[in-house]
Amino acid sequence: MARAIYPGSFDPMTLGHLDIIRRASKLFDEVIMAVVGNPGKSPLLPMDIRKNLIEESVKDLRGVKVEEFQGLTVDYAKATNTTVLIRGLRAISDFEAELGMAQANKQLFPELETIFLMTKAEYSFISSSTVKEIARLGGDVSQFVPHPVNDYLREHFSRGTKQK
Ligand code: COA
């Protein structure tokens, strides 16, 4: 069975991420969306929320699982017996960091192959930070994120605004 992992912070998942996982699910029998929970990162959305929103967003995709992990991505790949890692590339500006990560991962786990899928042009400007900023300032992010994420952000930020 061909299996791949698609790791990320997904804070929150965007339509760009959804596009990548949808396409990856056509290439592999199983794709695990691996949500990183390292304490070094300070995500806005708690792990259980990020995970639930992804599960809701991908529930119609065949062969997609959502898991959380701590520690190194290569250790997670080894633990799940996976030798393919998927990442999306939006623009040339992503390339340097992604190349560095792919090379470091390869050094740590030589059997691991990183496969890059090019983000669809219409999603290439979307980032999780942009989405959070627009939502925080009361803007409409429905065209950037899956429905469950949009519902959560609307609820979360309108509650925050009302409390002030
Ligand atoms: N469409 C739209 N946006 C996309 C995208 C796509 N296809 N692909 C990435 N992005 C954006 C995200 O929205 C996010 O935006 P932000 O910078 O504003 O937050 C950004 O690109 C990256 O987020 P994400 O894809 O969620 O992943 P990440 O870069 O936070 O995750 C890991 C990186 C998890 C793969 C990496 O940190 C890791 O492996 N961590 C584990 C520890 C480890 O092994 N370290 C050694 C690595 S060599």
Side-chain angles (χ1 to χ4, degrees):
M1 183 171 84
R3 180 192 297 127
I5 57 171
Y6 177 27
S9 304
F10 306 115
D11 183 39
M13 181 184 197
T14 67
L15 287 182
H17 292 126
L18 185 59
D19 169 53
I20 297 290
I21 188 66
R22 184 176 285 134
R23 287 156 57 199
S25 72
K26 292 182 186 154
L27 301 174
F28 294 90
D29 300 307
E30 182 175 280
V31 186
I32 306 173
M33 288 190 78
V35 189
V36 70
N38 285 351
K41 292 215 158 196
S42 338
L44 177 73
L45 277 59
M47 170 59 82
D48 58 329
I49 302 280
R50 281 184 284 152
K51 201 165 162 260
N52 287 349
L53 293 177
I54 298 171
E55 278 164 353
E56 274 293 297
S57 305
V58 301
K59 64 177 187 234
D60 296 332
L61 298 182
R62 192 190 48 83
V64 175
K65 281 170 54 178
V66 186
E67 304 277 349
E68 68 177 86
F69 77 104
Q70 310 273 345
L72 290 174
T73 296
V74 288
D75 289 339
Y76 180 75
K78 286 178 193 168
T80 52
N81 212 8
T82 310
T83 54
V84 179
L85 189 157
I86 304 283
R87 290 287 288 165
L89 276 182
R90 287 167 296 173
I92 194 86
S93 49
D94 282 343
F95 181 76
E96 205 172 329
E98 292 294 339
L99 178 67
M101 265 201 287
Q103 287 175 331
N105 284 335
K106 185 89 181 149
Q107 199 74 23
L108 293 167
F109 182 16
E111 288 78 30
L112 188 70
E113 297 296 347
T114 301
I115 295 184
F116 293 106
L117 297 182
M118 302 305 149
T119 300
K120 265 191 188 169
E122 65 205 90
Y123 303 133
S124 60
F125 66 95
I126 302 178
S127 76
S128 302
S129 306
T130 309
V131 163
K132 282 180 282 193
E133 177 160 353
I134 296 171
R136 194 180 294 126
L137 297 172
D140 175 11
V141 294
S142 57
Q143 53 192 316
F144 308 136
V145 295
H147 292 299
V149 177
N150 184 47
D151 292 346
Y152 173 83
L153 291 176
R154 229 183 22 216
E155 160 77 6
H156 180 83
F157 284 110
S158 70
R159 211 185 312 137
T161 313
K162 275 182 215 148
Q163 279 164 2
K164 281 187 187 152

